[in-house]
Each structure stands twice: as C-alpha cells, then as structure tokens.
Amino acid sequence: MSEPEVPTTEMAATTLAETPSSSSSSAAAAAAAAIWCEFSKRVPIKNIISRPDGGVGLAGERIKAAGWVKTGREQGKGSFAFLALNDGSCPGNLQVIVDSSVAQLSQITPTGTYVHAEGVLKQPPEGTAQKVELKVEKVLEIGGIEDSKEHPYPLPKAKISLEVLRKKNVHLRPRTNTISAVIRIRNALSYATHTFFQKHGFLYVQTPIITTIDCEGAGEMFQVTTLFSEADKLEKELKEKPGIPQKDGKIDYGSDFFEKQAFLTVSGQLQLESYACALSSVYTFGPTFRAEQSHTSRHLAEFWMVEPELACADLVDDMNCAEAYVKFLCRWLLDNCLDDMEFMVKNVDETAIDRLRLVSSTPFERITYTDAIALLEKKFQNAVEWGIDLASEHERYLTEVIFKKPVIVYNYPKGIKAFYMRLNDDEKTVAAMDVLVPKVGELIGGSQREERYDVIKERILEAGLPLDEYDWYLDLRRFGTAKHSGFGLGFERMVLFATGLDNIRDVIPFPRYPGKADR
C-alpha cells in the first residue's frame, strides 16, 4: 500500500491561502501564500505588519488571523467594532474591523478574548497609524472571557507592575506586552546560542540534571530522594510510622532510589569535561539549581546555563571564545529582534539598544584581578582588599565608570575559586576569568581546567570533598590528560542585560525562588 502524499511547504501554503482573487498577480499570490503559518490555519500577525511595507503589499488578500484582543471598542452606535489583535508573534497588533452582522460585538470586544477570523486585508484611510487592517467576513472561533465579580479578568487595561504579575498571575503574564517581548528576546538568544556553537564546530551534549557531586563545592544543592515518599507509603500500608531508614545513626541512602545521596545539578561542567576530552569542542545548555536562601533581584533557585568546553585551549582561548560569543548574541538581537528591543527602549530601558551596540562592536578590556583590586581600592578603600570576591557594585564600577565597556578580569586568588581551576605558577592564583558587562556585572565565569593529576587531586582534598566521588574525574587526568578550558554563561543574566529589566525573576517563564514553586 503506497504512502499518502505529504504536501510540501509550498503546497500547504497554497492550500491554506486558497485561491487568490483574480485581480491578484501571480507574484502577489505567491507573497500571500508565503506568509501563512505552515502548521496552523492562520497567518502570523508578524508576517503581515512586520514586512518592510507594513503589509500594504498584501492588501486585497483573503487571510485567516487569530489572536487575543488587546483592546476592543464598538463604533458607529454599535454597528461595528475595532479590535487590536495580538498573537504573540511580534510586539505590534493587527487592527481588525468586525461588523455587527458578522458577530455579536459584546462577545469579541472584551480585552483577553480569543478571536479567530477570516477576511480581506485592506488599506485604511490616509492619516491612520495602521498600514493595513483586516475587514472580517467570518468569525471562525471565539474564546470568551469570564469577567464577573467572582472571577474578574486579572489583566486590566491599566498598567500593572511586574511584581504583582509575578506573584499573582505568573501564568497569565505572557499576555502582557513586556513579558511577551522578553520571551521573544529569550527565544532569539537561545537560537543564537545554538547557532554560534554549531557554526564553530561544537557538539551539543545533554548533561545530567541529577548528580551525586557538587561541582562548585558550595554545598547549596537540592537533594533528590524517594525516602520520604516511601516512608509515607509504608505508613499508609502498615498503619504505623516506620520512619526514614537509618544505619549507624545516619540516614541509610543505600535504601534510596539511587542507593546514595543525589542532588539537582548546579552545573554540567564536570560531566561535560569528559566529552571535551574525547570530542574536543562541546557545549551544554540546560537548567541548573541552587538551594540558596536568597531573596535578591539577582538570584533564582532554578536557572539556565550555557556551558562550552574546549580541548587544546588555554585561558586566552577561553577568553577569546567568551568575548566572541557575547558579541554574537548582541549582534543577533540587533539584526533579528530589533522590534522587541525598540519596545524595551521605549518602555523599560532607553539605553538597551545602545548597550547592545557597544558590546557587539567594542574590544573587551582585559585586566588581572590584582590590577582590578588596585583600581577599586582608590574608590572603595576599606571595602576592597586582595583576596575578596568582587561584589556587583565593584564589577559595575569597572565596566560603567572606569572602562565604560565590558571587562574580563582574570587570574583570581585560588581561595575564592573552585577546585578544578588551573593553579598558576605563583601558586596563589588560578587561571580563572570573569566577563563583566555594564548593567549586570558578572555575565560569564570560566577558567582553564586543571589537567595535572597530582595538582587536581590535592585541590579536591583541600576543598574537603570526598576523593572517591571524584575518582572518575581523576580518570580524565590519568588517561590521556589534555589541556582544556571552558566557561558558563548565566542565561537569565544575559536576558537581563539585553532587556534592561531589574529583576531576574521577570526574564524566566516560570521563576523559582524561596517560597515560590507553584505554577
């Protein structure tokens, strides 16, 4: 039995667009067909109003559009209504005109209503802001809203703060102009990340979320266990409280799911190193977790990290890669997401685009930690001394006041950095580097990894970590050790930098922080 024919993109578009009007040229018909969404019975609004001509060239074409009403108002004594329709594809809205003979206007004008309509694109009268509007001939679907005393529509036309949205309506905030723009920017940065590393020959490796080791040595990790659920299950079955299994006065993790303590990862770096030491250039991009009781605007319990690892690469190579990557991200937004960035300039941070242009086109300053401390001591005096971990105010002072551009600080004291960073010849510093940018401060942290077996073994012991848990990591130094380097970019910090927003909880779809894990 032969397989059914699968339509090509061109065939699907032609089918969806149906037959163009006889007055349309073949070129216009092709243009109209090309704007349809291949897998949905609608035309994305972006494909209409974001064209260079604002959609004028599509006037006369019959289309189907769908989205949520931003504003709706009846006109002509209730004979017709104007709708500003948005489907999330771009910041702009499509103006839609519906006659009362086509639909009951009171059902489609409330803010938040979903409307799927078919009609003809027309040029509005001269002097109006819109370049094109949709004259509706048929309403195909309506998703009405309940707006009662018991359940009032939670997103009023009046401006609502991001904090209120975050706390009360995080599931509805994508419908707001600001959050929808943030998510499109976040999407563009995600795509740019994969594009950059794939373009430069990196392989994408998915590292585990569940781990038994602490990459950073900080101990602030979420534990993964089934012991409590098993105890609850036994309690219900036996009608008694068996408790958590213990051995020698301690919790017996041998009875746990993984038969030992397990945690949510704080970084995929150590596992990624094993692939770098076989495949050369690799990267991972995924969620990481930190059980830190912090309520600041810069911390999340769940966040995303971009982590590349490069074999045959020293600290200078690592800095070169990090700088090129950040510049690529900034240029990508300017080239591919300018409408959303212009929205941010208008509504959030008027310097956002200038900041992207600065970072994308300016060589980063490079300075040792020791020299950075010397500069900071002149400003902060007693608050700064060699050996401290730089605070956000120090990082921003370097980038925004002293150098007025991104800064890479390198060769940090070994006492404030992780055990896996390569010990320098002075035995006081390690080959670590941080990329600092205006507005945010630290954006990237990285290092040349310690490839010498004896040195890394001693560093693990110095950090007070159990040697047996890292025996597999030592194997990478025992068997074909190789010079390698890598870094981690906090993805939410990059979105924060790009958008100019102040709170990191507003640049992730569903923020997780102390006391907040619902929805």
Side-chain angles (χ1 to χ4, degrees):
M1 185 176 180
S2 61
E3 294 290 334
E5 182 181 5
V6 178
T8 63
T9 301
E10 292 77 8
M11 291 169 61
T14 303
T15 302
L16 288 173
E18 300 177 348
T19 305
S21 61
S22 58
S23 61
S24 300
S25 67
S26 58
I35 68 171
W36 282 84
C37 179
E38 185 180 355
F39 304 114
S40 179
K41 297 178 176 65
R42 66 179 178 90
V43 173
I45 289 173
K46 177 180 181 179
N47 292 4
I48 302 171
I49 66 174
S50 296
R51 287 162 49 104
D53 64 358
V56 172
L58 298 172
E61 296 299 330
R62 180 180 301 280
I63 69 159
K64 294 173 186 175
W68 290 263
V69 175
K70 288 291 186 179
T71 60
R73 66 187 191 278
E74 295 186 25
Q75 297 284 291
K77 297 181 179 180
S79 61
F80 67 95
F82 285 113
L83 308 179
L85 208 63
N86 187 280
D87 64 358
S89 61
C90 66
N93 305 318
L94 175 65
Q95 179 160 290
V96 175
I97 305 172
V98 187
D99 287 338
S100 58
S101 60
V102 175
Q104 186 175 331
L105 302 185
S106 61
Q107 290 185 345
I108 62 174
T109 52
T111 298
T113 303
Y114 173 77
V115 176
H116 182 194
E118 180 179 356
V120 177
L121 290 170
K122 296 181 178 294
Q123 285 185 258
E126 290 187 15
T128 57
Q130 297 79 19
K131 298 292 181 65
V132 70
E133 59 189 13
L134 179 66
K135 176 67 173 176
V136 173
E137 296 181 351
K138 186 187 300 184
V139 173
L140 304 172
E141 184 181 358
I142 299 174
I145 68 166
E146 179 181 348
D147 193 7
S148 61
K149 289 184 179 180
E150 294 79 12
H151 297 97
Y153 187 64
L155 300 178
K157 294 179 183 178
K159 190 172 184 179
I160 185 170
S161 74
L162 292 173
E163 183 179 7
V164 170
L165 281 172
R166 190 188 323 126
K167 291 182 177 179
K168 294 185 177 181
N169 296 300
V170 70
H171 58 298
L172 292 176
R173 66 180 188 163
R175 298 191 185 190
T176 65
N177 295 332
T178 299
I179 298 301
S180 60
V182 167
I183 295 304
R184 285 189 294 269
I185 290 170
R186 185 183 174 101
N187 170 72
L189 289 170
S190 298
Y191 190 86
T193 290
H194 288 292
T195 300
F196 175 83
F197 289 112
Q198 294 292 327
K199 176 183 176 182
H200 289 283
F202 286 72
L203 299 179
Y204 178 35
V205 176
Q206 296 78 32
T207 52
I209 289 176
I210 298 174
T211 182
T212 60
I213 57 174
D214 181 359
C215 177
E216 300 298 329
E220 297 168 330
M221 302 177 75
F222 288 103
Q223 189 164 337
V224 177
T225 180
T226 59
L227 290 179
F228 294 101
S229 56
E230 287 297 322
D232 289 342
K233 181 180 177 182
L234 286 173
E235 181 179 343
K236 291 177 182 178
E237 292 176 350
L238 303 176
K239 307 300 182 184
E240 60 183 65
K241 294 185 178 181
I244 304 298
Q246 294 192 349
K247 185 177 182 181
D248 299 330
K250 297 180 180 179
I251 294 176
D252 181 14
Y253 287 105
S255 303
D256 207 351
F257 185 89
F258 294 107
E259 300 183 358
K260 63 191 328 182
Q261 272 190 293
F263 308 91
L264 296 180
T265 186
V266 299
S267 169
Q269 177 206 312
L270 300 190
Q271 290 89 346
L272 196 63
E273 284 186 55
S274 65
Y275 278 80
C277 291
L279 303 175
S280 296
S281 295
V282 293
Y283 74 104
T284 191
F285 182 8
T288 52
F289 308 85
R290 187 68 62 85
E292 185 176 358
Q293 280 289 343
S294 175
H295 295 266
T296 74
S297 62
R298 289 291 186 271
H299 287 87
L300 288 166
E302 176 183 288
F303 52 98
W304 286 65
M305 291 285 289
V306 179
E307 299 177 278
E309 287 289 324
L310 304 83
C312 194
D314 59 18
L315 185 63
V316 173
D317 299 317
D318 202 35
M319 291 190 285
N320 291 343
C321 182
E323 179 172 343
Y325 171 47
V326 173
K327 287 181 173 180
F328 185 87
L329 293 181
C330 294
R331 176 48 56 188
W332 187 276
L333 288 181
L334 292 170
D335 292 343
N336 299 281
C337 213
L338 191 58
D339 52 356
D340 284 306
M341 289 308 307
E342 288 172 342
F343 173 87
M344 289 296 162
V345 167
K346 183 178 179 180
N347 297 279
V348 177
D349 180 2
E350 63 182 11
T351 66
I353 288 179
D354 289 339
R355 192 165 55 248
L356 290 179
R357 286 175 176 153
L358 169 72
V359 174
S360 68
S361 61
T362 306
F364 292 9
E365 187 71 29
R366 300 188 184 188
I367 183 174
T368 66
Y369 169 89
T370 300
D371 289 341
I373 288 294
L375 291 173
L376 292 169
E377 282 176 335
K378 299 175 182 178
K379 167 66 177 178
F380 296 93
Q381 298 176 350
N382 296 335
V384 173
E385 61 181 8
W386 199 94
I388 68 163
D389 202 357
L390 298 182
S392 178
E393 62 176 338
H394 304 141
E395 295 166 347
R396 293 188 61 178
Y397 185 77
L398 288 171
T399 60
E400 297 171 13
V401 179
I402 294 182
F403 295 107
K404 295 181 172 59
K405 62 178 180 178
V407 178
I408 302 180
V409 178
Y410 63 97
N411 287 350
Y412 280 80
K414 73 172 187 177
I416 61 173
K417 288 297 182 180
F419 69 91
Y420 52 75
M421 298 183 177
R422 194 180 200 278
L423 189 65
N424 288 327
D425 292 341
D426 60 13
E427 297 191 350
K428 297 192 305 179
T429 62
V430 289
M433 64 90 181
D434 288 340
V435 177
L436 315 179
V437 295
K439 177 71 179 178
V440 169
E442 182 187 341
L443 180 63
I444 283 176
S447 71
Q448 182 175 336
R449 315 312 190 188
E450 182 58 75
E451 85 281 9
R452 297 165 294 185
Y453 174 82
D454 292 340
V455 179
I456 189 68
K457 180 179 178 181
E458 185 61 29
R459 294 277 282 146
I460 292 172
L461 293 172
E462 285 179 4
L465 299 172
L467 200 60
D468 58 332
E469 289 287 346
Y470 294 86
D471 193 57
W472 69 270
Y473 190 66
L474 291 172
D475 274 353
L476 303 180
R477 281 71 182 169
R478 291 187 182 104
F479 309 126
T481 188
K483 182 185 297 182
H484 61 288
S485 301
F487 61 81
L489 174 138
F491 192 65
E492 281 72 33
R493 289 196 174 194
M494 183 63 210
V495 184
L496 207 64
F497 165 78
T499 61
L501 287 166
D502 294 321
N503 198 312
I504 201 166
R505 298 170 185 176
D506 295 323
V507 298
I508 189 169
F510 292 92
R512 298 291 184 256
Y513 50 92
K516 184 68 173 181
D518 59 327
R519 283 179 280 182

